[in-house]
Amino acid sequence: MDAAHPASRTTPAVSRRRLLQLGGAAAAVVGAAQLLRPTPAWADGYDSMRGTWVQLLTGSGYDPTAAPYATVLAQLGSQAGSYQGSMAPTTGSLWPDLPIGTVSANVTSGFGRLQTMALAYVQPGTGLTGSTALASAITTGLDWLCAHAYAPTTTTYNNWWDWQIGAPQRLLDTALLMYPQLSSDRITAYCAAIDHFVPATAVATYSGTSTGANRVDLCRVLMLRGVLGRNAASLTTAQTALSPVFPYVLGGDGFYADGSFIQHTYIPYAGTYGDVLLGDLSKLLTLTAGTAWAITDPAVQNFYAAVDTAFAPFVYNGLVMDGVSGRAVSRGIGATNNPTQFQQDDNNRGHGVVSDILRLATSGAVSPAQAAAWKSMVKGWLQRQYYEPLLNNTTLSVAELARAQALLNDATVTATAEPVGSKVFGMDRAVHRRTNWAAQLSICSSRTTFYETGNGENLHGWHQNSGMLYWYGDTYGDGQYADAFWPTVDPYKLPGTTVSTLALADAAGGAWGASHPDTPWAGGATDGTFSVVGQDVRGLQSTLVGKKSWFLLDDSVHCLGAGITCTDGVDVQTTVDNRNLGPNNSQVLTVDGTVQPTTLGWSRTFADSQYMAIGGMGAWVFPGGATVSVEREARTGAWSSVNTGSATTQLTRNYLTMWFDHGTDPSGADYSYQLMPGATAAQAAARAAGPNVTVLANTATVQAISCPSLGLTMANFFAAGSAGPLTASGPCSVLVREQGGTMTVAVSDPTRTATTVQVTVARTGYAAVGSTAGITVLSTSGAVSLLAETGGTQGASRTATLTAAGTAPAPATATSLAATATTYVRDGSYGNTTYGNATTMVVKNTNVANNGYNRESLLAFDVSGLTGTVSRAVLWVYGNVQDSGGTRTTLQAFGLSSDAWTEPGTTWNSAPGRTTALGTGAVSAGYDWVALDVTAAVAAAQPGAGGDGTAALAVFEPIGAVGLAAVLNTRLNTTNPPRLEVVTS
């Protein structure tokens, strides 16, 4: 039950000091409310939280008569007046154009219109501030919707999101804004409707549609329902239900330790769903700061870290890169839900991310040092965003505009510059930044999707992740993808992609990321400054295959393709670039020193071209010359062509497109080119005459380059092979950087299938090992030989640093051993049951003895043949969590008191006891390798150390901890059986 709700309720008194603290709009809101209601001498925490939320919606500290606020407020009033005038309650609709009963979005839209009207009522300068007629229309609308469309007796239809997130969020915002005008009966009715559609059980388990951004949205509903209905239980439920959002995940939706953010299981989504989560959490942290419901879960620090690792890397000059915005890139200008006809694009999505980070910085929930760092970062973005400055966006609320303006006016905050660095994410994305440009690469694998479509959106995004290379300049190019790019670009010629021109239907492949390439090879290696990224490319509904690599350097990106093969019976093309020239068509194209025509419709194929440059944009160099087709054309399209809910207005933009035509049904085609952002024709000519890159290999097996000026050697191995000084034992990416007597080697396994990969660098002179992270240096004599532990890293790079000075380590040998015995045992009533001869084994610690649910896996390895001293031993097990209680648990290895056990005869009651606790590792619902350090047990098992040559090991979960059931492969499983990797010296 809700807390007692006064039958005759009045608004709490607000002191003059509090009014001054609230400022501008918030003060106007409170002042208007006080004019409408007498003020008692009491208030409580719910009133305070309600005031906080209203201030988040309405803003503070601004002059409503000044720009841009006056414009925003006038637009708000005009729109609210239009909604008020067109409202016509009947049996089947509140507004004639939003009939109720079959389209759930109409329910959300109805509440959204009431929210707009409520904002116009409470905010100053709208022309409707404090209007009695408007207030009456709002309460009439709320009553109608909560009686006819969103009532406790309503059965849901269409989209679940409207019922659990879209409609209740707008209902709650409206009710909180209009709170002084609402009777207790009304509030009770509204809360009853929300309780029907969003009960506490909506967040009972972290699964299905209740994960990631959706979970935060649901918690926002529950928390505000608690504020509106003065219900502590609802607030507590929401507070508790947020906790599963914060831990890093190893699969599925959520934040990953490397900064990846996934929603809808397969979609990199920091730019939209991630921003929803960021926005809601920043508001909820502000709402609850200093209250009994403050978010104090220690894991919230992961969310704070994500601002810098998951969001900031994809923000450049204030825009958010399209590669992490999913189907939202197609939204553009809405047909009916965007009355201002304001276009959604990367710059405007950036306004949301930037505003949310700034709100979090001012929430009072983070440390002063963290808040100061974020404010400096945001101020830099605000100052540099030239294409669509945030303060020019009159679709933003005055709250966001006022907060941004206040930051710009704050002389105590110093703006930070765009960082220089390079990062490869496990979600099949990479970002590369330099002082005057940035690039973002979108690829895909069996773990991610070709593209996302759904709800009639992004109908032509088929090739968005087939190697699309986005890039931006510090003072140019930020309109490339913002200026009606998606409805007008040729979807078969997206920059950087290799595609079959086979005609595809709208939304081909299925909704919500249903289609995936049938290959795991996508990713790369990075040292944080440079990166090498590769993709085993596949075609959507096509026979296309090929290998693609990108080498991310200082002033350029070197691009290679090989093994491009297809039997679709159509042309296959690699688009070098496709520059959006906007509406003017004034940019000059220079090819090998000759200026080309600017006539629209002009096209030409250049044989043996050395370089091309577009004035004011950049240049492309073709080492050794290449045949490149070029076209300058005007393209016309409407947003509705890529999104059924968008405007039908025809738009025309001009493009300069450069591509390699591999012909019909190519076999083993290849390409090589270098992108130089911002370069002039003269700079491109100089680069063509004096290349900075040597291509060491460009085949379907390995693609590799060297860049001596940067000390770099980089390679993608799609299989075991050699290129230049590099040799790899299996698929991997390798980045070697040599400078000042130091060599750094970064190794990753983009396939995520191997436990280890061995890499040899044919370099001499490096002796001492400076540092290692997941890499063992086996030898530095004659060449540097490394064993990288790549299993379970989710494609992250392992790094070793060697120096010329110092003492070389003793040579070491790596040995891989198969298990000689594997089984598991179970306690309680199963204590005498054997589970030998199975292909899987189970681990679970319930921390309750003999209840029949505890299970332990046993393994044995013959280590009698090992010679030398064991310096490292890793037990590799492969499996996943299979438990209704959650998706992630921790495994731990243990020594056993005896190796006198057998697969067919061992039970829980007869199994040897656990001894030394050894290494731990995380496992999740996604199948993967887990590495457990068992060095001490293996060393003790050697005959020379007093052992009998058998390493007997147990895999359980940490003692005293409640875990989840994890199912692991045994030695009898033909796929990824356990193994022991031992390094001896």
Side-chain angles (χ1 to χ4, degrees):
M1 294 292 291
D2 287 354
H5 201 291
S8 177
R9 182 173 39 78
T10 54
T11 303
V14 179
S15 69
R16 175 177 175 82
R17 175 176 295 178
R18 179 57 177 159
L19 280 172
L20 291 173
Q21 289 173 338
L22 292 172
V29 171
V30 176
Q34 288 184 335
L35 288 174
L36 296 168
R37 293 272 181 170
T39 57
W42 60 267
D44 61 19
Y46 298 112
D47 292 314
S48 177
M49 294 175 77
R50 175 168 53 83
T52 298
W53 193 260
V54 168
Q55 185 173 350
L56 285 170
L57 295 174
T58 59
S60 62
Y62 65 90
D63 178 358
T65 65
Y69 316 113
T71 299
V72 174
L73 292 167
Q75 288 178 178
L76 176 66
S78 176
Q79 189 61 60
S82 174
Y83 290 151
Q84 180 185 357
S86 60
M87 183 191 291
T90 64
T91 302
S93 68
L94 182 58
W95 279 276
D97 61 328
L98 296 178
I100 299 301
T102 58
V103 180
S104 60
N106 288 352
V107 182
T108 297
S109 296
F111 282 119
R113 290 180 181 183
L114 295 177
Q115 180 188 31
T116 298
M117 294 161 66
L119 285 167
Y121 173 77
V122 301
Q123 289 189 288
T126 67
L128 293 172
T129 308
S131 165
T132 302
L134 180 60
S136 178
I138 296 167
T139 54
T140 296
L142 287 172
D143 291 346
W144 191 97
L145 285 171
C146 287
H148 297 86
Y150 199 77
T153 56
T154 302
T155 301
T156 62
Y157 50 86
N158 271 170
N159 194 334
W160 72 272
W161 182 90
D162 289 301
W163 303 103
Q164 293 201 312
I165 295 174
Q169 284 190 355
R170 289 152 182 80
L171 164 58
L172 284 161
D173 284 354
T174 305
L176 290 168
L177 288 165
M178 299 301 296
Y179 190 81
Q181 313 307 313
L182 303 180
S183 67
S184 58
D185 289 344
R186 279 188 166 123
I187 289 176
T188 298
Y190 304 159
C191 288
I194 292 168
D195 291 344
H196 172 65
F197 294 104
V198 195
T201 54
V203 294
T205 62
Y206 195 68
S207 60
T209 57
S210 188
T211 61
N214 288 334
R215 168 59 72 99
V216 178
D217 268 332
L218 292 167
C219 289
R220 170 177 159 176
V221 171
L222 290 167
M223 198 163 278
L224 292 180
R225 181 262 181 266
V227 173
L228 177 65
R230 313 170 85 82
N231 185 294
S234 187
L235 281 156
T236 300
T237 296
Q239 178 195 39
T240 303
L242 284 171
S243 288
V245 174
F246 303 134
Y248 291 131
V249 300
L250 295 173
D253 292 354
F255 289 107
Y256 292 70
D258 74 342
S260 296
F261 177 80
I262 295 288
Q263 192 78 40
H264 290 173
T265 309
Y266 311 111
I267 318 296
Y269 238 144
T272 40
Y273 272 93
D275 182 45
V276 169
L277 186 153
L278 175 63
D280 277 352
L281 273 177
S282 67
K283 291 174 182 175
L284 297 182
L285 284 159
T286 304
L287 175 70
T288 59
T291 75
W293 298 282
I295 300 166
T296 57
D297 188 324
V300 75
Q301 295 298 325
N302 292 342
F303 169 66
Y304 298 151
V307 172
D308 298 303
T309 62
F311 294 102
F314 294 97
V315 178
Y316 184 71
N317 284 349
L319 65 80
V320 64
M321 299 170 182
D322 276 355
V324 289
S325 291
R327 70 187 192 280
V329 300
S330 71
R331 287 172 183 163
I333 300 174
T336 58
N337 62 352
N338 188 358
T340 64
Q341 293 298 284
F342 196 84
Q343 178 179 287
Q344 294 188 47
D345 55 49
D346 54 4
N347 279 262
N348 293 313
R349 279 187 290 277
H351 296 165
V353 174
V354 170
S355 296
D356 292 339
I357 293 174
L358 180 55
R359 186 188 304 110
L360 184 60
T362 58
S363 67
V366 300
S367 70
Q370 181 65 83
W374 287 341
K375 287 178 182 178
S376 293
M377 181 171 66
V378 169
K379 190 169 189 176
W381 289 332
L382 292 174
Q383 290 180 344
R384 291 189 297 271
Q385 188 168 36
Y386 64 88
Y387 184 74
E388 291 175 347
L390 184 147
L391 288 173
N392 290 356
N393 186 347
T394 55
T395 66
L396 286 177
S397 73
V398 291
E400 314 314 325
L401 295 169
R403 193 178 294 110
Q405 186 64 70
L407 178 64
L408 287 171
N409 293 342
D410 189 346
T412 66
V413 178
T414 301
T416 53
E418 290 285 357
V420 172
S422 199
K423 190 167 184 178
V424 179
F425 295 83
M427 61 180 177
D428 294 346
R429 296 293 184 268
V431 173
H432 189 65
R433 293 174 176 271
R434 287 303 177 259
T435 56
N436 58 355
W437 61 278
Q440 188 261 303
L441 183 63
S442 291
I443 56 180
C444 60
S445 67
S446 52
R447 299 176 298 273
T448 53
T449 180
F450 285 107
Y451 77 114
E452 189 200 32
T453 186
N455 287 344
E457 297 185 306
N458 204 27
L459 301 175
H460 297 167
W462 315 298
H463 304 300
Q464 285 170 343
N465 298 328
S466 295
M468 187 166 179
L469 181 60
Y470 301 83
W471 58 275
Y472 316 81
D474 55 347
T475 59
Y476 63 93
D478 282 4
Q480 160 74 8
Y481 314 103
D483 186 17
F485 177 82
W486 293 107
T488 59
V489 72
D490 184 341
Y492 295 91
K493 291 181 179 175
L494 300 180
T497 62
T498 298
V499 308
S500 164
T501 58
L502 184 71
L504 295 171
D506 287 358
W512 317 119
S515 294
H516 310 263
D518 60 353
T519 172
W521 212 116
T526 183
D527 65 356
T529 303
F530 303 101
S531 296
V532 51
V533 183
Q535 179 181 21
D536 183 3
V537 72
R538 296 287 190 270
L540 175 63
Q541 298 183 351
S542 165
T543 61
L544 173 72
V545 297
K547 305 300 191 297
K548 294 170 69 72
S549 289
W550 298 264
F551 304 89
L552 306 173
L553 307 173
D554 243 355
D555 66 354
S556 57
V557 180
H558 201 97
C559 309
L560 295 180
I564 299 168
T565 301
C566 187
T567 58
D568 289 348
V570 297
D571 278 355
V572 173
Q573 301 170 345
T574 295
T575 302
V576 174
D577 220 319
N578 198 346
R579 300 308 291 174
N580 183 354
L581 306 179
N584 297 322
N585 189 40
S586 60
Q587 294 85 346
V588 173
L589 171 68
T590 302
V591 179
D592 297 337
T594 301
V595 174
Q596 303 300 316
T598 58
T599 307
L600 290 172
W602 170 85
S603 65
R604 180 177 169 183
T605 297
F606 293 86
D608 197 33
S609 177
Q610 305 297 305
Y611 71 88
M612 297 178 179
I614 301 177
M617 291 188 172
W620 299 260
V621 176
F622 308 102
T627 298
V628 185
S629 297
V630 184
E631 181 177 40
R632 185 186 288 259
E633 65 172 337
R635 293 186 55 83
T636 299
W639 281 105
S640 59
S641 67
V642 295
N643 189 313
T644 57
S646 293
T648 59
T649 306
Q650 295 293 305
L651 305 169
T652 299
R653 294 296 182 268
N654 304 308
Y655 288 86
L656 250 176
T657 312
M658 298 160 280
W659 72 94
F660 300 112
D661 190 341
H662 302 301
T664 300
D665 291 346
S667 177
D670 59 21
Y671 64 81
S672 175
Y673 68 95
Q674 189 175 89
L675 161 67
M676 300 177 65
T680 64
Q683 289 171 320
R687 178 61 53 84
N692 68 331
V693 163
T694 298
V695 175
L696 301 176
N698 187 21
T699 71
T701 298
V702 58
Q703 294 173 324
I705 69 162
S706 67
C707 183
S709 62
L710 298 174
L712 289 171
T713 305
M714 311 159 84
N716 284 320
F717 291 92
F718 296 95
S722 297
L726 303 178
T727 299
S729 64
C732 63
S733 290
V734 183
L735 185 153
V736 178
R737 189 179 184 193
E738 300 173 87
Q739 55 180 355
T742 298
M743 180 171 73
T744 300
V745 183
V747 181
S748 74
D749 174 15
T751 71
R752 308 190 194 180
T753 58
T755 55
T756 60
V757 62
Q758 192 163 331
V759 173
T760 300
V761 185
R763 292 285 193 264
T764 58
Y766 295 101
V769 178
S771 63
T772 58
I775 288 183
T776 299
V777 179
L778 301 176
S779 176
T780 59
S781 177
V784 174
S785 179
L786 309 164
L787 181 72
E789 296 173 9
T790 56
T793 63
Q794 299 201 317
S797 297
R798 295 297 207 179
T799 304
T801 301
L802 298 95
T803 59
T807 303
T813 300
T815 304
S816 180
L817 300 174
T820 57
T822 52
T823 190
Y824 77 99
V825 294
R826 186 171 182 175
D827 74 346
S829 60
Y830 304 92
N832 291 318
T833 303
T834 62
Y835 297 93
N837 300 319
T839 58
T840 59
M841 53 190 177
V842 187
V843 171
K844 184 169 184 176
N845 178 13
T846 68
N847 204 34
V848 177
N850 295 317
N851 63 1
Y853 294 101
N854 295 297
R855 279 150 286 185
E856 176 185 52
S857 293
L858 309 178
L859 307 94
F861 296 87
D862 180 1
V863 298
S864 61
L866 296 176
T867 58
T869 301
V870 174
S871 57
R872 178 146 178 90
V874 176
L875 170 62
W876 293 96
V877 291
Y878 185 87
N880 74 331
V881 170
Q882 298 181 25
D883 196 306
S884 61
T887 60
R888 178 171 176 167
T889 194
T890 298
L891 303 182
Q892 184 160 26
F894 294 84
L896 288 175
S897 60
S898 168
D899 57 26
W901 58 270
T902 62
E903 283 178 338
T906 302
T907 67
W908 181 277
N909 292 335
S910 66
R914 293 182 293 271
T915 57
T916 307
L918 303 168
T920 62
V923 62
S924 75
Y927 285 93
D928 204 353
W929 287 105
V930 182
L932 303 172
D933 186 342
V934 293
T935 304
V938 173
Q942 286 184 280
D948 63 1
T950 297
L953 304 167
V955 177
F956 196 47
E957 290 170 329
I959 303 301
V962 176
L964 301 172
V967 179
L968 310 175
N969 290 357
T970 69
R971 71 180 185 89
L972 300 177
N973 201 308
T974 57
T975 302
N976 297 330
R979 66 190 66 173
L980 185 67
E981 298 271 3
V982 185
V983 176
T984 55
S985 57

